[in-house]
Amino acid sequence: THWGAGLWNGGSLIVYYNKSMLEREGLPDPYKLYRENKWTWDQATEIVKRATQDKNGDGAIDQWGISRVVPEGLIVLNNGSVTRMDKNGRPVFTMDEPAALEALQLYADWNRMGAIGGKFVNGDAALDMHFIGSGVDNMKMKDEWSVVPIPRGPRCDQYLFPHWSPETVIIPVNSKNPEAMAALNAFLFREEDVTMNLALARLVRTREAAEIFRRIQTDWAGESRSLFEAFGGKLIEETIKKVIAGEKSPAVAMSEIKPVVQAELDQLFSK
């Protein structure tokens, strides 16, 4: 059961935004942009850029545009993916494709602005990209906050809710009584154990955020941050760090690691 959400989907990625800060800075409300179908990378970049400031005049940034970025979330919202199945059902590494490269470049651009930092719960960042179940951690914030889907990239025409880490139950292939094991699981984890109202009370503060939570339950279609995270995960993570630091371009970085990650995938799925 995920972060107080029970069997509700509490693991889909969204963007938290500091309503109080955006109002103080005269910046647009992301939820309004979303309702007008204008919540895009360009709009998010404008907020991220303008919210990043040196508030006390000491020459150092102390208010940031966004505290955390999940690059795979940006990739999915540009109609890309970390992996996908080819026509033969073989998983292939796809972070070297244009949709993914554009998302990584956006991440690098935000970092180059100095816009990534702070801690959302402390009130010093305008946005924060994480899963909706982490709203429980923001309940102690003094500022008002809400949530909105991840902004759409230029290749995507809809709002998606990529899951941070899809949860499942695995029954061994040699289980003597798989039906009984499935029944036991269904008994231990039941929908009625956590009502939607209880999940909402734990995770969100506003009517708008509740609407996003409810939409996640009906609209999530299986999109994931990363399906095969165990394969190349550390290598991919370290390579992305080099990209956002400006050490390598997204295209060069991903082309270098593709053979390694693909070999790991091929080795598993050839068995």
Side-chain angles (χ1 to χ4, degrees), residues 73-95:
L74 291 174
I75 289 171
V76 173
L77 267 294
N78 198 32
N79 205 28
S81 62
V82 174
T83 58
R84 59 174 166 76
M85 300 296 185
D86 67 13
K87 62 181 180 181
N88 298 315
R90 169 179 172 252
V92 293
F93 181 70
T94 54
M95 287 185 72

mmCIF file of all heavy atoms in Angstrom, residues 73-95:
data_model
loop_
_atom_site.group_PDB
_atom_site.id
_atom_site.type_symbol
_atom_site.label_atom_id
_atom_site.label_comp_id
_atom_site.label_asym_id
_atom_site.label_seq_id
_atom_site.Cartn_x
_atom_site.Cartn_y
_atom_site.Cartn_z
ATOM 1 N N GLY A 73 10.058 11.650 -16.176
ATOM 2 C CA GLY A 73 8.719 12.224 -16.257
ATOM 3 C C GLY A 73 8.608 13.198 -17.413
ATOM 4 O O GLY A 73 7.622 13.210 -18.146
ATOM 5 N N LEU A 74 9.632 14.039 -17.584
ATOM 6 C CA LEU A 74 9.647 14.962 -18.711
ATOM 7 C C LEU A 74 9.671 14.202 -20.036
ATOM 8 O O LEU A 74 9.033 14.605 -21.012
ATOM 9 C CB LEU A 74 10.871 15.878 -18.618
ATOM 10 C CG LEU A 74 10.890 16.906 -17.484
ATOM 11 C CD1 LEU A 74 12.229 17.626 -17.457
ATOM 12 C CD2 LEU A 74 9.750 17.908 -17.627
ATOM 13 N N ILE A 75 10.414 13.097 -20.064
ATOM 14 C CA ILE A 75 10.504 12.299 -21.289
ATOM 15 C C ILE A 75 9.129 11.750 -21.676
ATOM 16 O O ILE A 75 8.711 11.852 -22.836
ATOM 17 C CB ILE A 75 11.513 11.149 -21.106
ATOM 18 C CG1 ILE A 75 12.939 11.701 -21.051
ATOM 19 C CG2 ILE A 75 11.393 10.126 -22.228
ATOM 20 C CD1 ILE A 75 13.985 10.671 -20.658
ATOM 21 N N VAL A 76 8.425 11.170 -20.711
ATOM 22 C CA VAL A 76 7.091 10.626 -20.993
ATOM 23 C C VAL A 76 6.152 11.724 -21.469
ATOM 24 O O VAL A 76 5.347 11.522 -22.385
ATOM 25 C CB VAL A 76 6.520 9.918 -19.747
ATOM 26 C CG1 VAL A 76 5.066 9.508 -19.977
ATOM 27 C CG2 VAL A 76 7.355 8.682 -19.409
ATOM 28 N N LEU A 77 6.253 12.927 -20.865
ATOM 29 C CA LEU A 77 5.386 14.035 -21.256
ATOM 30 C C LEU A 77 5.865 14.714 -22.532
ATOM 31 O O LEU A 77 5.322 15.757 -22.916
ATOM 32 C CB LEU A 77 5.261 15.038 -20.116
ATOM 33 C CG LEU A 77 4.057 14.823 -19.175
ATOM 34 C CD1 LEU A 77 2.733 15.060 -19.915
ATOM 35 C CD2 LEU A 77 4.042 13.422 -18.558
ATOM 36 N N ASN A 78 6.835 14.124 -23.202
ATOM 37 C CA ASN A 78 7.205 14.554 -24.549
ATOM 38 C C ASN A 78 6.978 13.402 -25.527
ATOM 39 O O ASN A 78 7.565 13.365 -26.608
ATOM 40 C CB ASN A 78 8.660 15.017 -24.604
ATOM 41 C CG ASN A 78 8.956 15.872 -25.824
ATOM 42 O OD1 ASN A 78 8.101 16.613 -26.311
ATOM 43 N ND2 ASN A 78 10.173 15.776 -26.338
ATOM 44 N N ASN A 79 6.129 12.452 -25.098
ATOM 45 C CA ASN A 79 5.783 11.286 -25.922
ATOM 46 C C ASN A 79 6.994 10.384 -26.156
ATOM 47 O O ASN A 79 7.113 9.747 -27.205
ATOM 48 C CB ASN A 79 5.190 11.720 -27.262
ATOM 49 C CG ASN A 79 4.283 10.655 -27.860
ATOM 50 O OD1 ASN A 79 3.690 9.855 -27.137
ATOM 51 N ND2 ASN A 79 4.175 10.629 -29.173
ATOM 52 N N GLY A 80 7.895 10.342 -25.165
ATOM 53 C CA GLY A 80 9.049 9.467 -25.250
ATOM 54 C C GLY A 80 9.026 8.439 -24.143
ATOM 55 O O GLY A 80 8.046 8.309 -23.403
ATOM 56 N N SER A 81 10.127 7.690 -24.015
ATOM 57 C CA SER A 81 10.208 6.652 -22.989
ATOM 58 C C SER A 81 11.666 6.283 -22.765
ATOM 59 O O SER A 81 12.540 6.623 -23.556
ATOM 60 C CB SER A 81 9.417 5.411 -23.411
ATOM 61 O OG SER A 81 9.971 4.858 -24.601
ATOM 62 N N VAL A 82 11.906 5.577 -21.674
ATOM 63 C CA VAL A 82 13.240 5.056 -21.397
ATOM 64 C C VAL A 82 13.478 3.780 -22.194
ATOM 65 O O VAL A 82 14.548 3.558 -22.746
ATOM 66 C CB VAL A 82 13.418 4.795 -19.884
ATOM 67 C CG1 VAL A 82 14.753 4.109 -19.599
ATOM 68 C CG2 VAL A 82 13.313 6.100 -19.113
ATOM 69 N N THR A 83 12.457 2.929 -22.246
ATOM 70 C CA THR A 83 12.489 1.723 -23.063
ATOM 71 C C THR A 83 11.131 1.547 -23.719
ATOM 72 O O THR A 83 10.127 2.127 -23.285
ATOM 73 C CB THR A 83 12.780 0.458 -22.222
ATOM 74 O OG1 THR A 83 11.775 0.336 -21.205
ATOM 75 C CG2 THR A 83 14.151 0.517 -21.577
ATOM 76 N N ARG A 84 11.075 0.752 -24.754
ATOM 77 C CA ARG A 84 9.804 0.353 -25.358
ATOM 78 C C ARG A 84 9.997 -0.995 -26.030
ATOM 79 O O ARG A 84 11.132 -1.440 -26.241
ATOM 80 C CB ARG A 84 9.306 1.385 -26.367
ATOM 81 C CG ARG A 84 10.241 1.648 -27.519
ATOM 82 C CD ARG A 84 9.624 2.573 -28.560
ATOM 83 N NE ARG A 84 10.624 3.073 -29.486
ATOM 84 C CZ ARG A 84 11.163 2.374 -30.470
ATOM 85 N NH1 ARG A 84 10.783 1.124 -30.671
ATOM 86 N NH2 ARG A 84 12.080 2.912 -31.268
ATOM 87 N N MET A 85 8.908 -1.641 -26.344
ATOM 88 C CA MET A 85 8.970 -2.923 -27.031
ATOM 89 C C MET A 85 9.005 -2.697 -28.542
ATOM 90 O O MET A 85 8.205 -1.921 -29.073
ATOM 91 C CB MET A 85 7.759 -3.779 -26.663
ATOM 92 C CG MET A 85 7.643 -4.088 -25.184
ATOM 93 S SD MET A 85 9.004 -5.099 -24.564
ATOM 94 C CE MET A 85 8.451 -5.360 -22.882
ATOM 95 N N ASP A 86 9.911 -3.393 -29.246
ATOM 96 C CA ASP A 86 9.894 -3.298 -30.701
ATOM 97 C C ASP A 86 8.835 -4.250 -31.258
ATOM 98 O O ASP A 86 8.090 -4.885 -30.492
ATOM 99 C CB ASP A 86 11.287 -3.564 -31.287
ATOM 100 C CG ASP A 86 11.768 -5.001 -31.097
ATOM 101 O OD1 ASP A 86 10.953 -5.874 -30.726
ATOM 102 O OD2 ASP A 86 12.966 -5.261 -31.319
ATOM 103 N N LYS A 87 8.740 -4.367 -32.562
ATOM 104 C CA LYS A 87 7.672 -5.163 -33.179
ATOM 105 C C LYS A 87 7.777 -6.644 -32.846
ATOM 106 O O LYS A 87 6.803 -7.385 -32.987
ATOM 107 C CB LYS A 87 7.680 -4.957 -34.692
ATOM 108 C CG LYS A 87 8.963 -5.406 -35.382
ATOM 109 C CD LYS A 87 8.898 -5.132 -36.879
ATOM 110 C CE LYS A 87 10.188 -5.578 -37.581
ATOM 111 N NZ LYS A 87 10.124 -5.295 -39.038
ATOM 112 N N ASN A 88 8.936 -7.076 -32.381
ATOM 113 C CA ASN A 88 9.133 -8.479 -32.001
ATOM 114 C C ASN A 88 8.980 -8.711 -30.502
ATOM 115 O O ASN A 88 9.241 -9.805 -30.006
ATOM 116 C CB ASN A 88 10.520 -8.947 -32.452
ATOM 117 C CG ASN A 88 10.685 -8.878 -33.960
ATOM 118 O OD1 ASN A 88 9.801 -9.295 -34.712
ATOM 119 N ND2 ASN A 88 11.816 -8.344 -34.406
ATOM 120 N N GLY A 89 8.573 -7.667 -29.783
ATOM 121 C CA GLY A 89 8.404 -7.787 -28.342
ATOM 122 C C GLY A 89 9.693 -7.694 -27.561
ATOM 123 O O GLY A 89 9.750 -8.055 -26.389
ATOM 124 N N ARG A 90 10.745 -7.194 -28.174
ATOM 125 C CA ARG A 90 12.060 -7.054 -27.532
ATOM 126 C C ARG A 90 12.168 -5.665 -26.912
ATOM 127 O O ARG A 90 11.988 -4.665 -27.583
ATOM 128 C CB ARG A 90 13.152 -7.253 -28.575
ATOM 129 C CG ARG A 90 14.565 -6.889 -28.125
ATOM 130 C CD ARG A 90 15.547 -7.170 -29.256
ATOM 131 N NE ARG A 90 16.888 -6.682 -28.968
ATOM 132 C CZ ARG A 90 17.448 -5.623 -29.548
ATOM 133 N NH1 ARG A 90 16.769 -4.931 -30.471
ATOM 134 N NH2 ARG A 90 18.675 -5.253 -29.238
ATOM 135 N N PRO A 91 12.490 -5.570 -25.615
ATOM 136 C CA PRO A 91 12.678 -4.250 -24.998
ATOM 137 C C PRO A 91 13.917 -3.563 -25.568
ATOM 138 O O PRO A 91 14.995 -4.164 -25.610
ATOM 139 C CB PRO A 91 12.863 -4.574 -23.515
ATOM 140 C CG PRO A 91 12.360 -5.958 -23.337
ATOM 141 C CD PRO A 91 12.624 -6.655 -24.632
ATOM 142 N N VAL A 92 13.762 -2.331 -26.006
ATOM 143 C CA VAL A 92 14.891 -1.579 -26.551
ATOM 144 C C VAL A 92 15.043 -0.271 -25.771
ATOM 145 O O VAL A 92 14.062 0.342 -25.358
ATOM 146 C CB VAL A 92 14.730 -1.285 -28.060
ATOM 147 C CG1 VAL A 92 14.795 -2.573 -28.859
ATOM 148 C CG2 VAL A 92 13.431 -0.550 -28.344
ATOM 149 N N PHE A 93 16.288 0.135 -25.582
ATOM 150 C CA PHE A 93 16.619 1.380 -24.883
ATOM 151 C C PHE A 93 16.364 2.551 -25.834
ATOM 152 O O PHE A 93 16.855 2.569 -26.970
ATOM 153 C CB PHE A 93 18.085 1.338 -24.463
ATOM 154 C CG PHE A 93 18.551 2.547 -23.710
ATOM 155 C CD1 PHE A 93 18.110 2.793 -22.418
ATOM 156 C CD2 PHE A 93 19.461 3.429 -24.274
ATOM 157 C CE1 PHE A 93 18.559 3.905 -21.711
ATOM 158 C CE2 PHE A 93 19.923 4.538 -23.579
ATOM 159 C CZ PHE A 93 19.459 4.773 -22.296
ATOM 160 N N THR A 94 15.575 3.545 -25.379
ATOM 161 C CA THR A 94 15.134 4.602 -26.287
ATOM 162 C C THR A 94 15.472 6.011 -25.805
ATOM 163 O O THR A 94 14.936 6.989 -26.320
ATOM 164 C CB THR A 94 13.617 4.499 -26.519
ATOM 165 O OG1 THR A 94 12.942 4.506 -25.246
ATOM 166 C CG2 THR A 94 13.261 3.235 -27.270
ATOM 167 N N MET A 95 16.378 6.130 -24.848
ATOM 168 C CA MET A 95 16.721 7.471 -24.371
ATOM 169 C C MET A 95 17.632 8.223 -25.335
ATOM 170 O O MET A 95 18.004 9.363 -25.080
ATOM 171 C CB MET A 95 17.356 7.401 -22.984
ATOM 172 C CG MET A 95 16.360 7.075 -21.892
ATOM 173 S SD MET A 95 17.063 7.124 -20.227
ATOM 174 C CE MET A 95 17.280 8.881 -19.971
#
